Amino acid sequence: MPIDGRRVSRRSGRGIRYAALAACGPLLVAMLAACGSGDPETTAEADSAASSGSEGLWDAYDRQKQNLAKCLNEKGLQVTYLGHDTLADFSGIPDGDPTPEMIECYEKWPALDAPVLEVPEKPSEERLREDREIAKCMRENGVPDWPDPDPNPAPIDGATLRQAKEDHKARMQQPAVKAAAKICMPDTSDLTGVG
């Protein structure tokens, strides 16, 4: 369907999916910021770590892993945390299924995602123009809160990116969004918007 006299169909399906995800990123990050992990010990560390930057996030990550190793050792294992910059985080974890005692430690000290920030590719002017046309089309076709693309996407950590993709995939299944996407992104065969 023409938009402002041009076709959006020049975009690849993959490009459209990433553009749609990038457009939703700021909203999703704001929503996710309001959610906690549910574990008061890890949440308190993460909150204090966030205030001290990425160094603090790595400190919290290392402390969590060290606490897990300590708990496993208290259960009779000989486990050592090797650090976040090694290929294997731990030595001494036995092969096979975890015992109930090990599961107890894993539940008490759940794995944290490493605080590695991914820097999304900055979109070209042509891509921004096309993404703005898609956003305008989506708004005109029943999705009034569809955001414009972010010309300067901020770095995002792996856990937040993974959650943003899941949230975006769910949003793309909403009837109004699906209907608008068929009009505004006709060349996208996978209307989940996630590659």
Side-chain angles (χ1 to χ4, degrees):
M1 170 177 179
I3 300 174
D4 296 336
R6 290 168 280 196
R7 290 190 56 81
V8 179
S9 61
R10 294 183 309 236
R11 298 277 316 268
S12 71
R14 182 180 176 113
I16 290 171
R17 289 189 293 267
Y18 287 126
L21 178 59
C24 290
L27 294 174
L28 294 171
V29 170
M31 289 185 330
L32 292 171
C35 300
S37 68
D39 183 339
E41 293 177 76
T42 56
T43 302
E45 284 190 1
D47 288 345
S48 66
S51 65
S52 57
S54 65
E55 190 69 30
L57 292 172
W58 277 117
D59 290 345
Y61 177 86
D62 288 335
R63 278 193 302 277
Q64 185 85 343
K65 297 283 189 168
Q66 289 162 354
N67 287 329
L68 174 58
K70 180 180 177 187
C71 181
L72 291 170
N73 289 331
E74 289 170 354
K75 302 293 183 187
L77 298 174
Q78 300 284 319
V79 175
T80 304
Y81 174 57
L82 303 173
H84 65 260
D85 55 353
T86 59
L87 187 58
D89 283 356
F90 294 97
S91 68
I93 301 268
D95 292 333
D97 292 334
T99 65
E101 292 82 11
M102 292 169 67
I103 292 171
E104 186 181 321
C105 289
Y106 294 141
E107 288 174 352
K108 183 175 181 182
W109 302 106
L112 294 177
D113 284 301
V116 177
L117 297 181
E118 296 181 25
V119 180
E121 177 186 347
K122 187 172 179 174
S124 67
E125 285 302 316
E126 180 181 354
R127 183 170 170 182
L128 279 171
R129 180 185 54 74
E130 290 177 356
D131 290 348
R132 285 182 185 120
E133 290 174 357
I134 290 171
K136 180 181 177 192
C137 178
M138 293 292 284
R139 290 191 293 265
E140 290 173 349
N141 285 282
V143 189
D145 61 341
W146 192 269
D148 280 324
D150 185 352
N152 296 300
I156 188 169
D157 66 88
T160 305
L161 180 61
R162 198 167 37 256
Q163 185 63 50
K165 284 182 178 182
E166 289 174 15
D167 292 346
H168 180 71
K169 186 174 182 178
R171 183 173 192 213
M172 291 300 290
Q173 293 303 315
Q174 295 172 358
V177 176
K178 274 181 111 168
K182 285 181 182 177
I183 296 167
C184 303
M185 304 178 220
D187 290 343
T188 304
S189 58
D190 174 14
L191 288 177
T192 61
V194 180

